[in-house]
Structure formats: structure tokens, C-alpha cells
Amino acid sequence: HELTWLYLTRMTKKNAPRWLMEGLALVESHPSFVDKTPLRTTQLKWIELENRLTAEKNYLDFERNPESVNHTLLISYLLTRFLLESYGWPTMRQILDEYRGGASQFDRVCYKILNIQFDALIAKWNMYGITRYYFGAERDYKF
């Protein structure tokens, strides 16, 4: 988890949002709490999501985290997984390259790389979250 997070943070020159870096690190490490925690909401609140993840990384003991912290981590994980399942690793690499090049706003990166309006992406996320994770996480983890 930490090695992935450090590599991605360095690769993107700290420009990428914390939720994306944390989400990719969680995809790679896949801790057990992501399979045990139901989503129960599709309200992302993108800016709040970014601010809820601290730079100090004092939440790495996943089994002892408060429920609210694990929920924020779960949303980061699921949002990243949604992007990977919908658009693939090559597109994720393009997103990361945009951040390395100085991009700072996900909605602009979304339009440039994914060729989709941000509102349409949110609608796709809502369907993904409701149909697959609202009541509980899937048990099979496949890419």
C-alpha cells in the first residue's frame, strides 16, 4: 500500500488528488475492510472527499479506524475501481500523466481524457455504486 502510494505521489509530482492516490494504493493492496463495508450512499462530495484524507496518513491501521475513516477510504477505493473497470489501466495512466503535467482539477482531466462531461461521469458512478456496492461489497475481485 505505502510503496504504491509513494510511487504514485512522486510520479504525479503531488498534483493528483489524494482520493485517487489512496484509491490506487487500496486497489493494489486490497485490505479486507473493502469487502466488509457496504457503501450505503453514492453522494461523493468530491471536494469534501479530498479534504477528509489527511496527508499524515494516520489511518493505515484499517482494522482500528473509526467507521467514518474506513468509509472515506472505501469511497476512494470504489471510485478508483469504477474508473479502472470503466476505462482501463491505459486511460488511468493518461489521467496520471495529466497530473504529472500540472493538471489540478479532476473535472477538466475527466473531460480531456475520458471525453465525458463531469455530470455524466457522476451519473455513471451512481449507477455503478447503486447496482454493485450499495448494500454490500462484491465478494469476487476481478480485473
Side-chain angles (χ1 to χ4, degrees), residues 19 22-23 49 53 72-81:
W19 64 263
E22 191 61 48
L49 179 62
L53 292 170
T72 299
L73 293 170
L74 177 69
I75 291 174
S76 298
Y77 166 81
L78 292 178
L79 184 53
T80 304
R81 185 169 170 178

Side-chain angles (χ1 to χ4, degrees), residues 1 4 19 43 65 73 94 98 111 122 126:
H1 176 277
T4 302
W19 64 263
Q43 298 299 315
N65 282 338
L73 293 170
Q94 289 178 326
E98 280 297 308
Y111 185 73
I122 290 173
N126 286 337

Side-chain angles (χ1 to χ4, degrees), residues 70-120:
N70 277 352
H71 191 264
T72 299
L73 293 170
L74 177 69
I75 291 174
S76 298
Y77 166 81
L78 292 178
L79 184 53
T80 304
R81 185 169 170 178
F82 158 71
L83 291 171
L84 288 170
E85 288 180 9
S86 299
Y87 300 100
W89 282 103
T91 301
M92 180 59 72
R93 180 65 181 201
Q94 289 178 326
I95 291 170
L96 295 172
D97 285 343
E98 280 297 308
Y99 285 114
R100 181 177 28 201
S104 62
Q105 293 181 330
F106 183 73
D107 57 342
R108 291 184 182 173
V109 171
C110 168
Y111 185 73
K112 182 175 181 180
I113 301 298
L114 306 178
N115 298 316
I116 187 172
Q117 294 289 333
F118 193 59
D119 292 342

Side-chain angles (χ1 to χ4, degrees), residues 1-111:
H1 176 277
E2 280 302 282
L3 185 59
T4 302
W5 191 86
L6 287 170
Y7 171 76
L8 292 169
T9 302
R10 185 174 184 143
M11 183 184 106
T12 61
K13 301 178 183 175
K14 296 185 180 180
N15 284 337
R18 282 188 210 122
W19 64 263
L20 182 60
M21 298 297 92
E22 191 61 48
L24 286 167
L26 289 168
V27 164
E28 289 303 311
S29 66
H30 197 81
S32 63
F33 84 89
V34 300
D35 291 328
K36 299 175 187 171
T37 310
L39 182 60
R40 297 289 191 220
T41 183
T42 58
Q43 298 299 315
L44 287 179
K45 301 178 183 173
W46 295 75
I47 293 172
E48 290 177 27
L49 179 62
E50 177 67 10
N51 294 334
R52 281 186 273 171
L53 292 170
T54 64
E56 290 85 34
K57 309 276 288 165
N58 57 358
Y59 47 79
L60 290 177
D61 189 357
F62 302 121
E63 301 303 321
R64 293 189 177 143
N65 282 338
E67 187 177 325
S68 61
V69 173
N70 277 352
H71 191 264
T72 299
L73 293 170
L74 177 69
I75 291 174
S76 298
Y77 166 81
L78 292 178
L79 184 53
T80 304
R81 185 169 170 178
F82 158 71
L83 291 171
L84 288 170
E85 288 180 9
S86 299
Y87 300 100
W89 282 103
T91 301
M92 180 59 72
R93 180 65 181 201
Q94 289 178 326
I95 291 170
L96 295 172
D97 285 343
E98 280 297 308
Y99 285 114
R100 181 177 28 201
S104 62
Q105 293 181 330
F106 183 73
D107 57 342
R108 291 184 182 173
V109 171
C110 168
Y111 185 73

